[in-house]
Amino acid sequence: MDAADAVETIQREMTVFARRARAAAGRMHPELSLVSYTLLGHLEESGGCRATDLAAHYALDKSTVSRQVAALERAGLIQRRPDPEDQRVLVLHLTETGRHILAQVTESRRSAFRERLADWPAEDLSMFADCLVRYNADSGPGRQE
């Protein structure tokens, strides 16, 4: 396979991967879209942040993030709290329910990956992981995908 064919195959397979990830997110928790899951994960990793920070980090429109945040608040998964350093700023944080749901969905996703990759040799898993890390390291916010 030449480089052009390889790039075409990668693009096609990444599209299939993205569709599968969106569908799997809906099956694992009907109220938690892939975007919502991603935002919750970021809030957990960061210890909380502003909605504008989420929009900037993921290169999303502020209105898109606003809708997602509103839905997560209605579901009781996140809450807004004043920033201790600047009371005018509201910071998004996971609620206990949000932490619980995120942990459940994360474990379900890990289990699904383990099952799907169970027959792969360790060398292939390592190479695949290295390639994904390399690919994602070069695809920050604002880059065309």
Side-chain angles (χ1 to χ4, degrees), residues 24-74:
R27 285 192 307 272
M28 289 180 197
H29 194 280
E31 298 170 25
L32 201 59
S33 71
L34 185 58
V35 171
S36 295
Y37 173 78
T38 302
L39 297 179
L40 289 178
H42 185 80
L43 290 175
E44 181 180 54
E45 288 174 19
S46 67
C49 68
R50 299 174 303 164
T52 55
D53 296 332
L54 286 173
H57 182 78
Y58 290 107
L60 294 170
D61 185 74
K62 289 178 187 177
S63 65
T64 300
V65 171
S66 180
R67 284 190 300 276
Q68 291 289 330
V69 165
L72 292 170
E73 276 186 299
R74 280 192 305 275

Side-chain angles (χ1 to χ4, degrees), residues 86-100:
D86 184 350
Q87 296 292 309
R88 298 169 298 170
V89 175
L90 293 175
V91 178
L92 304 170
H93 294 275
L94 292 176
T95 62
E96 283 307 311
T97 301
R99 286 184 199 291
H100 179 71

